[in-house]
Amino acid sequence: MLPVFGDLITILLAGLISGIICRRLRISSLVGLLVAGVIIGRAGLNLIASHGPELEQIAQAGVLLLLFAVGIEFSLEELSKLSKDMFLAGTAQMLLVILPLLAVFSFLKIPVDRAIVLSAAIALSSTVLVYRTLLEWGQTNTPSGRRALAILLFQDVALIPLLLFMPVYSGTQSPGVVSGLILAGMTIVFAAVVPVAHHVFAQWVMPFLIKVKSVELTMLFVLVILLTSCWLAQLFGLPPALGALAAGVSLSGTRLTKQLDALVFPFRETFGVVFFVSLGSYIDWRLLWRDPLWFVMAIPLLLVLKGAAGGVAL
């Protein structure tokens, strides 16, 4: 475990230094964490010795905690009100990215099945990155911020059928109708459990936690629910990230919601630093020099395309 501890200390130290610099320069700490990752990563000083599963699991914990925070932002009542924004705007955003890219990939003679997977993957946005940015800007509770998060939640759900097409991209097998129906059924069952769990928590568990007034028991309860939800999601064949979102939603809209979020906050921020710096460490800026013309053309076009699609969706 010594290499893992060494990497963890390096990552946290890089995050601390970047946070101080970003605070002085008054720029986004998210940018600072990604840049710090690039500097200490394999394309920079190469200070991280191991990219083993242990470090990846620690970074994934940050993702799950951040997605839990996204879920706890929305009560079931608010989600029902935002359902039109979620499905209408989410569909519009993805189609406005996918359709132009399909035309481009068709021109480049890329097979249709792979073009669909690539276009859909590019249409997706990182819920974690956007949520962190909205949080820094103080936009999570504004109408536009809520609609943006609703679109991101739609994308997280849209990821499920997209996963069925990944074997097509790898060229191993084609997704069967039976496997698709099974996954859809598992998703419906998993989603149906959320309001039931929310009712149980609100009616019996929360009053008990308020009565006992124990921070330790409340924190343990949150962690058990979060980990159990992620485990069940994976057991159902779904991404663990959806389990983290579901856990947040099931605990939202109660008298203890704000306290629960406050208890998770230190863990979320610490593990989040590990995730963002680790993410930056995988960025290889040397790729820019292999085909600079492609990057100069593709990146601005993708920014314009996704920006315009998001604007129309909102």
Side-chain angles (χ1 to χ4, degrees):
M1 292 297 292
L2 280 178
V4 178
F5 287 138
D7 289 350
L8 195 56
I9 292 170
T10 303
I11 288 172
L12 291 175
L13 182 60
L16 175 63
I17 295 172
S18 70
I20 295 172
I21 294 174
C22 291
R23 182 63 62 91
R24 289 295 184 92
L25 298 178
R26 295 183 178 181
I27 61 176
S28 170
S29 63
L30 179 58
V31 175
L33 293 174
L34 292 172
V35 172
V38 174
I39 293 173
I40 69 172
R42 59 184 66 176
L45 300 176
N46 198 24
L47 298 179
I48 301 179
S50 69
H51 288 277
E54 298 88 355
L55 193 61
E56 289 184 9
Q57 288 169 3
I58 294 173
Q60 285 297 320
V63 177
L64 297 178
L65 287 168
L66 282 165
L67 290 172
F68 173 80
V70 175
I72 211 168
E73 288 271 347
F74 292 92
S75 64
L76 289 172
E77 293 77 14
E78 187 177 9
L79 280 176
S80 63
K81 292 178 182 178
L82 286 171
S83 58
K84 185 176 76 171
D85 292 324
M86 187 182 299
F87 291 102
L88 182 62
T91 303
Q93 185 271 337
M94 291 197 69
L95 288 178
L96 287 172
V97 176
I98 290 173
L99 295 177
L101 287 176
L102 282 177
V104 173
F105 290 141
S106 175
F107 176 77
L108 296 175
K109 308 298 183 182
I110 294 176
V112 175
D113 49 2
R114 296 195 175 195
I116 292 174
V117 172
L118 287 171
S119 302
I122 294 172
L124 297 173
S125 299
S126 170
T127 303
V128 171
L129 290 173
V130 178
Y131 174 73
R132 180 63 181 260
T133 305
L134 291 173
L135 202 62
E136 288 186 355
W137 292 350
Q139 296 290 316
T140 54
N141 291 317
T142 62
S144 58
R146 305 306 276 183
R147 286 194 293 271
L149 289 174
I151 293 174
L152 291 168
L153 291 176
F154 174 85
Q155 292 184 2
D156 291 331
V157 175
L159 180 63
I160 298 172
L162 179 61
L163 290 175
L164 282 174
F165 286 92
M166 290 313 295
V168 175
Y169 179 74
S170 63
T172 55
Q173 60 182 10
S174 299
V177 176
V178 176
S179 61
L181 291 175
I182 291 174
L183 186 60
M186 291 292 189
T187 305
I188 293 171
V189 171
F190 187 77
V193 172
V194 175
V196 176
H198 178 270
H199 178 75
V200 172
F201 296 152
Q203 293 296 320
W204 290 288
V205 179
M206 296 303 174
F208 171 76
L209 292 175
I210 292 172
K211 186 178 180 180
V212 297
K213 297 179 181 178
S214 172
V215 176
E216 293 84 0
L217 288 178
T218 305
M219 188 69 224
L220 285 172
F221 168 73
V222 172
L223 291 177
V224 167
I225 296 302
L226 173 59
L227 294 175
T228 302
S229 183
C230 295
W231 175 72
L232 286 174
Q234 199 160 20
L235 190 66
F236 280 33
L238 305 174
L242 285 180
L245 284 169
V249 173
S250 65
L251 294 174
S252 65
T254 68
R255 291 170 58 188
L256 278 181
T257 295
K258 290 186 178 179
Q259 290 91 325
L260 297 179
D261 192 32
L263 285 174
V264 174
F265 179 79
F267 299 93
R268 187 180 78 205
E269 292 300 301
T270 303
F271 284 104
V273 167
V274 178
F275 169 70
F276 291 121
V277 175
S278 299
L279 183 65
S281 70
Y282 284 97
I283 298 174
D284 191 348
W285 57 268
R286 293 171 298 186
L287 291 173
L288 290 170
W289 305 112
R290 294 185 184 177
D291 199 346
L293 184 61
W294 171 252
F295 277 96
V296 168
M297 291 175 58
I299 292 178
L301 287 175
L302 284 177
L303 288 173
V304 171
L305 177 61
K306 295 197 70 172
V312 171
L314 287 172

